[in-house]
Amino acid sequence: KKIQNREPAGLVSKVSKPWNKGTLLWMAMMLLVLSSLYGLTRIMEGVTPSASIASAITNRIHHVQKEADQVVQQLKAGNGKKASATEIKKRYADFQASQSYYRNEYALNTGDQVIHSRRNVEIALAMDMETITPLNQYSFTSPQIFRSTSSADGEEKEQYVFFNTQPVTYQIESAHEEKDLYKVKVSYDQPIRLVYTVLDFPASVKDTKRHLMSITALRPVETYSFQKEGEQWVLRSVE
């Protein structure tokens, strides 16, 4: 007689079925999500200086803004008062109309260095100095204006400040590793924070009239370089 193997009553034989495509796709997606989370965790642990980048940019903006604030405070300390754009335009026109030898001086304070000469300032700001004058409020939308006037030995001196009230915003254009540095390219909107101008009027046609424009600003585009020391990312330079 043939012996038949019988399963105990009440038990059902279970046969493993191959995974369908839907299950495999779901598993692949979960692996992708997990690997992304792992990558994010690695970033937060210091593989890239994400937190250091934001801190460094914010600190730099605040530093340059503080430099601009100090210029305003110094002018106020020298009897500087609030003024209108119309007042400044009139004085600027009077200065332009005065007949004498002419001297122009330009300076740019970037917070980490002072750049001199018109050409160097134009290169740093990527703009022609003739495009920003009191006639267009130095390109500011709604600036605060302060003015101080004095005279000595027949020579008048006009000092005024156009202070940008619009906040600085920034955009990270790119970030990459270069040797042992992590470099971040940043662009700014409203990088010019203040324009301080001095007009020295001549006492006579034999004297030299002098125009000084001193700008406090971030460069429109800057590159931050970071280097890792232990578990910390340290800012090495801003160019």
Side-chain angles (χ1 to χ4, degrees):
K1 294 182 179 180
K2 293 182 179 181
I3 300 174
Q4 296 180 346
N5 292 325
R6 293 184 179 182
E7 296 176 352
L11 294 180
V12 179
S13 177
K14 295 183 180 179
V15 180
S16 298
K17 296 182 180 180
W19 289 334
N20 58 37
K21 291 182 179 179
T23 302
L24 291 173
L25 180 60
W26 178 84
M27 292 181 67
M29 290 177 65
M30 287 301 296
L31 287 172
L32 181 61
V33 170
L34 289 172
S35 62
S36 297
L37 288 174
Y38 173 76
L40 179 60
T41 302
R42 292 284 289 165
I43 290 176
M44 296 303 291
E45 288 175 351
V47 175
T48 58
S50 53
S52 299
I53 291 170
S55 177
I57 296 172
T58 301
N59 289 341
R60 172 146 173 74
I61 291 173
H62 287 170
H63 175 65
V64 173
Q65 187 62 55
K66 186 176 179 180
E67 294 281 314
D69 294 342
Q70 288 177 349
V71 175
V72 174
Q73 295 305 318
Q74 288 171 1
L75 188 63
K76 285 182 176 180
N79 297 318
K81 307 294 183 183
K82 280 192 174 183
S84 68
T86 301
E87 292 176 66
I88 302 302
K89 288 177 183 178
K90 183 180 183 307
R91 292 298 286 159
Y92 186 74
D94 293 342
F95 179 80
Q96 294 288 80
S98 61
Q99 300 296 319
S100 75
Y101 299 103
Y102 196 95
R103 182 179 176 183
N104 267 326
E105 296 178 23
Y106 295 88
L108 169 64
N109 180 2
T110 64
D112 53 7
Q113 69 176 131
V114 178
I115 299 170
H116 294 280
S117 89
R118 174 172 174 170
R119 175 175 173 76
N120 291 336
V121 171
E122 288 180 331
I123 291 172
L125 293 179
M127 64 165 42
D128 187 337
M129 289 295 97
E130 291 185 1
T131 63
I132 53 172
T133 71
L135 304 181
N136 65 359
Q137 301 188 132
Y138 295 99
S139 78
F140 299 149
T141 302
S142 54
Q144 288 185 348
I145 305 170
F146 300 90
R147 172 191 179 195
S148 174
T149 304
S150 61
S151 62
D153 300 325
E155 294 185 357
E156 290 184 74
K157 174 174 287 191
E158 184 80 32
Q159 300 178 72
Y160 58 82
V161 161
F162 278 68
F163 183 88
N164 191 358
T165 59
Q166 303 301 306
V168 181
T169 58
Y170 70 88
Q171 176 73 35
I172 295 178
E173 302 293 341
S174 63
H176 67 278
E177 291 186 33
E178 186 174 306
K179 296 182 179 179
D180 61 338
L181 297 176
Y182 194 83
K183 296 200 168 187
V184 182
K185 184 178 179 181
V186 179
S187 63
Y188 304 98
D189 185 41
Q190 302 292 335
I192 299 178
R193 306 313 305 151
L194 170 145
V195 177
Y196 165 68
T197 303
V198 178
L199 303 177
D200 284 330
F201 287 77
S204 69
V205 294
K206 294 182 180 180
D207 296 322
T208 300
K209 65 179 182 180
R210 174 173 167 266
H211 166 260
L212 165 66
M213 182 191 295
S214 180
I215 302 170
T216 303
L218 298 148
R219 302 172 191 85
V221 178
E222 295 184 325
T223 299
Y224 290 67
S225 295
F226 298 87
Q227 189 173 44
K228 195 168 186 182
E229 291 186 356
E231 295 302 316
Q232 301 294 323
W233 285 95
V234 179
L235 178 64
R236 288 303 182 200
S237 65
V238 181
E239 301 171 343

